[in-house]
Amino acid sequence: MEEKDMAALRAERQRTINRLGAEDDFGRGFGYISGFRKDRYVGMFYFLWHGQHKSEMPGVYNVSELEKNDLPALLDTGKNPKSPVGAFHHWGKPLFGYYNSEDPWVLRKHMELLCIAGIDFICFDCTNAREYWEVLEVLLPVMQEMYDAGWNVPKFMFYLNTCCDEAIARLYYGSGKGCALEKEGIYKKGLFKDLWFMPGGKPKIAAVTEEGNTSSGTDAHRVRDKEILSFFDFWESQWPNNTFYENGFPWIEWSRPQPVHTQAEAISVSIAQHNLCPFSDVLLEPGIREKMWGRGYTSRSGADHSERAIISGANFEEEWQTALEKDVKYTFVTGWNEWAAIKFVDPYRNCIFLVDNFNLEFSRDIEMMEDGYEDNPYLQLMRNVRKLKGLQDELLPSSMRKIDFNDVSCWKQVEDRYIGFIGQTPRDFAGFAPGYHYKDDSRRLEICEIRAAHDEKFIYFNIVADRPLAPADGDEAFMNVLVGIDGSENKGFRGFEYLIGRGRTDSACSVEFFGKEGPTKCGQASFKIERETIVYRIPKAVLKIKGSFTLRFKVADNVKEPMNMQSYYASGCVAPIGRLGFIFRG
């Protein structure tokens, strides 16, 4: 594809992302932006280790469940099979299950979510001298495919620390062994160069280069290779308890408010901070729980252990406010999907310790979880990213136009077009540990694009799939449309008031209102299917639209649990994913 055509393709997909809106469970919403600033970047700490440390991942052990149901096993410093020492323990359960980081279904979901959120780069956690090549062999082609399809997928870089001279050599030259990617290396061969994060012309990397930086345990392992030193644009590996480097790249801070590293032009934003290290001491040491900076902690109120403070991310919001005030070039967020920590034994105190995460309050993941905080941290992330670098503007209303309901070709002139993420394959992959395997084939089609229009009496949606549409009789999960009207006092179902598409006859379907007792029929809409296209015509009167309006809508096919918003992230084909909605004004 020619460069100008690719630029147009990217602009069109970005327009789709610009017209996304949502509101979280605390009434904090976001809406239309006209684009992103080019001089601000938001990065995300991303973890590749799930299922990769075989001997230390013999099973799944959930600290939150153990803390509630079998505390003696959790505290046991011996060889308890319910909670073995030396094994990774999850603090909670991810929405996508206890997954393996090589699962392409999960990786594609992650990249879609991070792309939509406006994340510019992901930083792979390789701080323990493991590069997780088998995961990269799956993930980087997925990212490349999405990039080639015109999406502004996050670019990538690495965060190195322990034995970073050896790790960076493998990334640059290759190791000559292992999987194909490890043998070749990435950088010297120029592999996946489209995806390198290099805002200044050289690929960024975080590593130990300063003499005396003891973050890696010994000065002997700092980077000295001249070819490598001249190739990369380095940030100094910055630990919160180590010497403060102006060129340090902070993944977390143990001071409030978090400082700016002026040479690096970087600031850290994290969900929670293990400032008194380790997090597990909140259970073992009297008084520590009041001083540790969990998800509900703020400088003003101190430790707030209430469900509202934890789920709303009071700590995260305070860190974001500092970043917004400082407004520096690079904001680095910790983190997306850490989830697990090794259960160790402290030989001096003869007690367990888990350093980086422990339970819902004392953990730092944003990725959606099953129950608990659900998708609230993700929506909080997206709202603040848009505050930081979004170009605030007003979406111009779409003029009324004549739509011939029986002529699909008339839609070619409709400019309100929304593009769907396509390419997801059925899920069928091993999980985190032996005995876990995940399968999902609920995505039976791809939603390629949606166009919206209106005239004096009706709202229209034209939905195009990747294959001919032939709904089975009684299929209530076929191509449903959810609609929410801005300004309505009714919050309905997570911001959506109406459900269109069930109760289908030959040419009509129900419009249902989400009330306290669930969806109840309040009217009727018309629909027409022609090969890969379905068109809905919904009376404005049924949606209580008079005059000017702004609405959010989404299309969902074959969602497993239609009254569980989390299922809109994890099943079927949904555009846009999860709680998000496309914005349309008229």
Side-chain angles (χ1 to χ4, degrees), residues 262-434:
T262 54
Q263 188 180 339
E265 300 179 272
I267 192 170
S268 165
V269 170
S270 51
I271 292 279
Q273 303 82 33
H274 55 312
N275 58 304
L276 298 176
C277 190
F279 260 148
S280 56
D281 273 2
V282 298
L283 180 66
L284 299 168
E285 293 287 335
I288 289 291
R289 189 166 179 259
E290 302 308 312
K291 300 175 183 177
M292 197 82 83
W293 298 344
R295 290 178 185 256
Y297 187 94
T298 60
S299 300
R300 180 176 181 178
S301 303
D304 187 339
H305 309 302
S306 68
E307 180 178 333
R308 180 180 180 85
I310 293 167
I311 302 301
S312 69
N315 188 323
F316 195 32
E317 194 69 17
E318 182 174 88
E319 294 246 318
W320 265 113
Q321 290 308 307
T322 299
L324 290 167
E325 290 167 10
K326 301 293 186 182
D327 191 25
V328 298
K329 190 172 184 178
Y330 302 101
T331 300
F332 187 45
V333 181
T334 295
W336 179 251
N337 62 331
E338 190 171 19
W339 289 115
I342 297 177
K343 176 180 171 179
F344 292 110
V345 173
D346 184 335
Y348 301 103
R349 296 185 296 167
N350 192 31
C351 65
I352 67 162
F353 71 94
L354 294 93
V355 177
D356 292 299
N357 52 63
F358 189 64
N359 56 21
L360 174 60
E361 182 177 1
F362 299 101
S363 56
R364 52 192 187 215
D365 290 288
I366 293 170
E367 183 190 359
M368 286 70 66
M369 72 174 297
E370 188 175 282
D371 301 321
Y373 61 62
E374 296 188 342
D375 62 349
N376 282 288
Y378 176 71
L379 299 179
Q380 187 178 11
L381 168 77
M382 191 166 177
R383 173 172 53 84
N384 281 298
V385 168
R386 289 187 168 218
K387 277 187 178 181
L388 178 70
K389 65 190 187 85
L391 299 173
Q392 306 303 320
D393 205 347
E394 183 178 357
L395 179 63
L396 296 176
S398 176
S399 300
M400 293 186 192
R401 64 165 57 241
K402 182 177 176 59
I403 295 292
D404 186 342
F405 187 59
N406 295 306
D407 181 11
V408 171
S409 66
C410 74
W411 285 91
K412 293 178 181 178
Q413 306 305 317
V414 174
E415 295 179 352
D416 286 283
R417 182 175 182 233
Y418 308 82
I419 309 300
F421 279 82
I422 63 174
Q424 184 65 275
T425 55
R427 188 180 190 184
D428 188 358
F429 207 83
F432 180 88

Side-chain angles (χ1 to χ4, degrees), residues 572-583:
C573 183
V574 185
I577 194 170
R579 203 190 309 205
L580 298 167
F582 293 128
I583 299 170

